[in-house]
Amino acid sequence: MKLTSEQINQLRETFKALPKIEQKRLLAEARRRKDLFQSRLSAKTNRAERFLDEEDRSSFQRAPKLDVERIAVELLAEEQREPDSLSDLGPIILGQVVWVGPRSYQIRVGTSDNSMEIHPALVPALGGRLCVGDHVRTSGGNIVGLEARTTLLSRRDGQTGEPLLIAANIDAAVVVVSVVAPPLHPRIIDRYLVAIRSGGAEPMLFVNKADLLDESNRWELDCLAAYRSAGMPIVVGSAERGDSIRELRAHLRGKTCVFVGHSGVGKSSLVNALAPSIHAKVGSVSEGYGRGTHTTTASSLYEIGDEICVIDTPGVRSFQLDSMDPLELASYFPEFVGLADHCRYRDCAHIHEPRCAIKAAVEAGDIPEERYDAYLRLLGIE
Ligand SMILES: Nc1nc2c(ncn2[C@@H]2O[C@H](COP(=O)(O)OP(=O)(O)OP(=O)(O)O)[C@@H](O)[C@H]2O)c(=O)[nH]1
Ligand SMILES: [Mg+2]
Ligand SMILES: [Zn+2]
């Protein structure tokens, strides 16, 4: 694709306005393309060298210098591309991805009862890279472009290291946990909190299955207080008994939100509690380990009234973050943000540095120790 310098400048501006996590996704894909191009080029050079004289060889080796950011910007252009010949395809109609299955995307066009199914092979530049919540341009039964994402939630594939997209254009992400069956795992909340903030959405915690709380396990909720100080609203309730469902709805009013968390914590049950007409499939929890049985297998977007859209997602076994440096990580800890200006060093990583305002605040009890420990743990320092 040939781009004018004006288009490149405009795309650079769009790129800068994207959520950090979306910029990282494009840069990672650009790096992958650059490596692929360079390994192909060096294979070609090796093959050709045998037949080249000295002068030709040096010109061959003067391969173009590839700038990863420039490739990322071109990728963005590719994803947002308008078809070359609009007249062949018909008018452009905007739609939203409401379901991503293994072999097709479901796109809602206009109103909720008007949707169409599209095979990923018909999405040339985007194949496999769309997620629920994406706003797309469609034409003649094809997806012909992707609107720039305002927010994005993604995680890292534990095996390939590639980003796995969870939901786009969400205002809020609700981390659903339960105290009993499955048991509470606060560490996953730390990771979700960072991923949600780096994707530009507001985080919230819903502690489900409050009906199973009693004197023997209520103390487990104590560790959640630290998240309140991290600016995360917390609602304790029960999808089964209907506790705090009204409060949850009030938090979500007017927003598009995604429910995330371990399998079996009750994400789909919460969707049903908020909107009984939806009938999202609900599974069971295994007797022995209290683990979920991975009932929801694909993400779906539901409209539930009060201008609320909810995206129900499959439960995860684990949640891995993209690697990030201390300065970026600290920026997702709101309790650190104002204070970090008072550290002695501007680029203080708040680990071993002298006169660190964050460490002083932890010692004074102004920042909960759990939050500082979470920060170190996420940096790989135990
Ligand atoms: N006691 C109790 N059980 C609940 C509550 N909410 C959900 N459950 C039960 O928890 C089990 C799992 O619920 P789901 O809604 O399928 O959980 P999920 O988070 O959607 O699970 P995945 O789709 O596998 O990720 C079901 O047996 C529900 O009946 C609750 O508030 N209290
Ligand atoms: Mg489910
Ligand atoms: Zn510091």
Side-chain angles (χ1 to χ4, degrees):
M1 193 183 343
K2 194 93 189 98
L3 295 166
T4 63
S5 59
E6 198 180 326
Q7 282 171 318
I8 294 274
N9 286 342
Q10 213 165 28
L11 283 160
R12 280 194 201 277
E13 289 305 312
T14 311
F15 183 84
K16 269 193 245 155
L18 292 174
K20 190 98 186 183
I21 209 159
E22 178 71 335
Q23 292 181 7
K24 279 188 173 178
R25 177 187 70 82
L26 288 161
L27 286 170
E29 177 63 18
R31 232 169 272 124
R32 207 182 59 76
R33 288 201 183 184
K34 178 181 169 177
D35 291 347
L36 191 71
F37 179 79
Q38 280 179 334
S39 66
R40 281 202 191 131
L41 189 72
S42 73
K44 236 191 226 169
T45 315
N46 289 343
R47 249 181 287 141
E49 261 185 348
R50 279 177 272 149
F51 308 105
L52 294 172
D53 60 24
E54 210 42 56
E55 198 180 328
D56 280 349
R57 193 171 301 158
S58 71
S59 76
F60 209 95
Q61 283 163 349
R62 250 183 276 128
K65 223 169 154 275
L66 295 171
D67 167 7
V68 173
E69 254 178 59
R70 168 67 187 257
I71 306 175
V73 160
E74 284 183 9
L75 265 170
L76 184 64
E78 203 177 298
E79 292 184 351
Q80 299 194 334
R81 181 183 72 105
E82 295 286 353
D84 299 333
S85 163
L86 288 179
S87 55
D88 289 353
L89 290 162
I92 299 279
I93 303 168
L94 292 182
Q96 186 172 30
V97 179
V98 292
W99 185 80
V100 174
R103 273 184 285 279
S104 62
Y105 297 115
Q106 201 164 339
I107 314 290
R108 188 187 55 197
V109 191
T111 64
S112 53
D113 2 8
N114 190 0
S115 68
M116 62 181 179
E117 238 169 274
I118 293 185
H119 192 276
L122 295 175
V123 195
L126 296 162
R129 281 188 276 137
L130 289 178
C131 62
V132 173
D134 269 334
H135 292 292
V136 291
R137 287 189 291 274
T138 71
S139 185
N142 290 335
I143 295 175
V144 294
L146 170 70
E147 301 282 288
R149 294 172 174 135
T150 55
T151 63
L152 176 68
L153 180 62
S154 74
R155 67 186 174 102
R156 203 159 70 117
D157 185 317
Q159 276 167 351
T160 64
E162 299 277 312
L164 293 172
L165 310 188
I166 301 169
N169 304 314
I170 42 166
D171 302 298
V174 183
V175 181
V176 183
V177 296
S178 70
V179 180
V180 188
L184 186 65
H185 296 285
R187 301 290 75 89
I188 201 171
I189 307 175
D190 297 333
R191 294 192 293 272
Y192 268 123
L193 201 44
V194 169
I196 294 165
R197 290 223 161 93
S198 75
E202 306 161 23
M204 184 185 157
L205 190 64
F206 188 89
V207 184
N208 192 27
K209 310 202 185 186
D211 53 298
L212 301 180
L213 281 174
D214 59 30
E215 291 321 308
S216 69
N217 54 30
R218 197 173 295 276
W219 61 270
E220 291 202 44
L221 293 184
D222 293 350
C223 72
L224 300 179
Y227 298 107
R228 217 167 252 133
S229 76
M232 194 183 200
I234 302 179
V235 178
V236 180
S238 162
E240 195 154 292
R241 228 169 39 186
D243 299 359
S244 304
I245 298 302
R246 241 204 247 171
E247 195 183 339
L248 175 64
R249 183 174 266 276
H251 274 281
L252 306 182
R253 187 153 296 142
K255 294 178 185 162
T256 295
C257 46
V258 61
F259 287 179
V260 291
H262 277 133
S263 174
V265 291
K267 299 177 292 300
S268 305
S269 304
L270 269 183
V271 171
N272 292 339
L274 285 161
S277 61
I278 297 231
H279 302 297
K281 194 172 169 203
V282 165
S284 57
V285 171
S286 73
E287 291 264 319
Y289 297 102
R291 284 199 192 125
T293 44
H294 296 275
T295 309
T296 306
T297 53
S299 298
S300 306
L301 182 143
Y302 303 106
E303 280 191 61
I304 63 163
D306 287 338
E307 292 173 38
I308 302 172
C309 287
V310 172
I311 300 171
D312 186 19
T313 63
V316 294
R317 281 190 183 81
S318 63
F319 186 90
Q320 287 198 14
L321 278 178
D322 255 345
S323 55
M324 52 183 82
D325 62 43
L327 280 189
E328 186 186 353
L329 183 64
S331 73
Y332 304 133
F333 279 67
E335 57 280 71
F336 290 14
V337 171
L339 277 175
D341 296 339
H342 302 287
C343 293
R344 178 171 175 181
Y345 300 108
R346 271 182 78 106
D347 57 351
C348 183
H350 324 304
I351 307 170
H352 304 298
E353 296 85 345
R355 300 210 354 231
C356 165
I358 304 296
K359 282 196 290 178
V362 177
E363 267 158 43
D366 296 335
I367 292 179
E369 238 167 77
E370 296 98 307
R371 291 290 293 154
Y372 183 64
D373 290 347
Y375 171 73
L376 293 181
R377 208 176 304 110
L378 292 173
L379 286 175
I381 305 166
E382 289 293 333

